[in-house]
């Protein structure tokens, strides 16, 4: 049974209680990370079960609810939001002992015209793609994170920042699902940071760093669309670049209020 709902991975199928999909450039890291999570008894992630005779990665299927599109009404629940933050914290804590393994990471040269990347000392391999489609809920509580394709060396600030884009959300209200249009993103960002246990130093830099990174992500998305095509090109054609631009404008207008909500 083909699995839809994500944006990017083509050829993902459910076979019984497994999910099978193509190996990608980040698979070695992802599979090592999933093996590590299994070895430390972390249940909130799929198990990596090996590669099948068609060369597809085999992961365990995690039963539960996912907030696909259209978004379910519960997407705006604060209890759900808090549970996502707690799950993310426990994932990141479970990844600490894995360290930053000596696995070659995909290095793409920066596309032309992009503002230079800022580098932070990375603490652990973070998930870095905590979209509503990538969280499995059970009994109203976030139970597992799936889709580790973007996992990479991370800081806690980067991990929370990425999740807030989707879960606060940090976007122009015109770009939000209608169930998230009228929520208070300042309050929700604060609730998330508190439930995650983000420290004061990380809170101080998060919003300014996001504003900076928004510019980079516009360039990176355009580059991926050109270079990789497929789902990336589809998203670009559907206007994801404009959504990112409007997020930047929203941050210009509301970033200070957001930063204050995180620290005060
Ligand atoms: N291990 C899994 N357990 C349960 N559902 C899954 C699993 N992997 C994928 N799915 C379902 O398939 C969808 C797309 O998978 P995902 O790995 O997120 O692909 P994409 O890279 O396209 O986002 C998910 O949103 C989820 O509904
Ligand atoms: Mg996904």
């Amino acid at each position: 049974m083909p699995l839809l709902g994500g944006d990017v991975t083509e050829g993902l199928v459910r076979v019984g209680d497994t999910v099978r999909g193509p190996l990608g450039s980040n698979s070695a890291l992802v599979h090592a990370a999933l093996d590590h999570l299994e070895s430390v008894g972390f249940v909130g992630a799929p198990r990596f079960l090996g590669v099948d005779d068609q060369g597809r990665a085999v992961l365990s299927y995690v039963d539960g609810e996912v907030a696909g599109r259209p978004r379910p009404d519960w997407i705006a629940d604060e209890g759900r939001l808090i549970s996502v933050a707690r799950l993310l914290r426990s994932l990141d804590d479970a990844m600490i002992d894995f360290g930053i393994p000596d696995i070659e990471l995909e290095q793409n040269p920066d596309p032309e015209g992009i503002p230079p990347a800022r580098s932070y000392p990375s603490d652990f391999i973070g998930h870095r793609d905590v979209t509503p489609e990538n969280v499995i809920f059970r009994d109203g509580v976030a139970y597992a994170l799936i889709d580790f394709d973007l996992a990479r060396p991370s800081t806690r600030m980067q991990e929370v920042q990425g999740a807030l884009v989707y879960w606060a959300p940090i976007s122009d209200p015109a770009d939000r699902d209608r169930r998230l249009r009228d929520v208070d993103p300042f309050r929700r960002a604060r609730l998330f940071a508190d439930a995650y246990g983000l420290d004061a130093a990380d809170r101080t830099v998060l919003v300014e760093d996001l504003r900076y990174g928004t510019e980079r992500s516009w360039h990176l998305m355009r580059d991926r669309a050109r270079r990789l095509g497929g789902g990336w090109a589809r998203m670009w054609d559907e206007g994801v670049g404009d959504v990112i631009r409007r997020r930047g404008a929203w941050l210009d207008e509301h970033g200070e209020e957001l930063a204050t909500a995180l620290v005060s």
Side-chain angles (χ1 to χ4, degrees):
M1 186 202 296
L3 284 167
L4 304 171
D7 285 312
V8 167
T9 307
E10 281 165 26
L12 203 64
V13 290
R14 178 169 175 188
V15 180
D17 55 5
T18 68
V19 170
R20 295 165 193 237
L23 296 171
S25 53
N26 204 22
S27 292
L29 177 66
V30 171
H31 299 159
L34 294 179
D35 280 347
H36 165 77
L37 290 170
E38 178 172 16
S39 76
V40 297
F42 181 81
V43 298
R47 298 281 168 253
F48 172 58
L49 302 171
V51 175
D52 72 9
D53 52 15
Q54 296 177 40
R56 300 176 299 188
V58 183
L59 304 184
S60 63
Y61 180 83
V62 184
D63 230 343
E65 295 174 286
V66 173
R69 288 177 197 276
R71 302 284 187 222
D73 286 333
W74 52 255
I75 189 75
D77 286 358
E78 288 186 348
R80 298 249 185 180
L81 172 85
I82 288 166
S83 75
V84 173
R86 288 187 180 145
L87 174 64
L88 186 60
R89 176 66 190 227
S90 63
L91 171 76
D92 291 346
D93 287 350
M95 287 306 294
I96 295 287
D97 284 346
F98 183 62
I100 307 288
D102 191 17
I103 292 173
E104 207 177 322
L105 302 170
E106 191 188 18
Q107 300 286 357
N108 291 305
D110 265 357
E112 216 176 300
I114 191 171
R118 291 173 168 175
S119 70
Y120 295 99
S122 299
D123 303 320
F124 58 94
I125 299 296
H127 180 284
R128 301 294 293 279
D129 195 21
V130 187
T131 63
E133 284 88 353
N134 289 343
V135 183
I136 307 257
F137 288 86
R138 279 191 195 169
D139 302 322
V141 175
Y143 174 78
L145 285 153
I146 57 169
D147 191 356
F148 283 66
D149 290 349
L150 297 185
R152 58 190 183 277
S154 299
T155 67
R156 293 189 183 279
M157 186 278 287
Q158 291 171 317
E159 189 82 305
V160 171
Q161 182 189 70
L164 287 183
V165 167
Y166 298 101
W167 289 94
I170 301 175
S171 53
D172 187 320
D175 294 319
R176 294 180 201 160
D177 183 274
R178 68 173 172 79
R179 292 160 201 81
L180 290 168
R181 201 157 292 153
D182 298 323
V183 298
D184 179 346
F186 310 103
R187 176 183 158 82
R188 286 170 61 87
R190 175 61 185 258
L191 284 171
F192 194 101
D194 287 354
Y196 182 91
L198 195 67
D199 72 20
D202 280 342
R203 289 174 194 235
T204 309
V205 297
L206 186 147
V207 175
E208 190 278 325
D209 184 77
L210 175 61
R211 179 66 190 94
Y212 185 84
T214 302
E215 218 47 47
R216 270 187 67 78
S217 63
W218 185 89
H219 287 272
L220 291 173
M221 291 298 284
R222 187 177 63 164
D223 179 58
R224 283 186 199 130
R226 287 176 172 172
R227 206 161 33 82
L228 305 172
W232 296 106
R234 207 157 44 238
M235 280 193 281
W236 188 258
D237 293 342
E238 285 166 8
V240 72
D242 299 327
V243 171
I244 294 170
R245 284 268 146 92
R246 286 191 290 270
R247 173 177 305 130
W250 188 90
L251 280 166
D252 288 340
E253 198 175 333
H254 301 285
E256 213 172 292
E257 186 178 355
L258 185 59
T260 305
L262 286 175
V263 299
S264 59

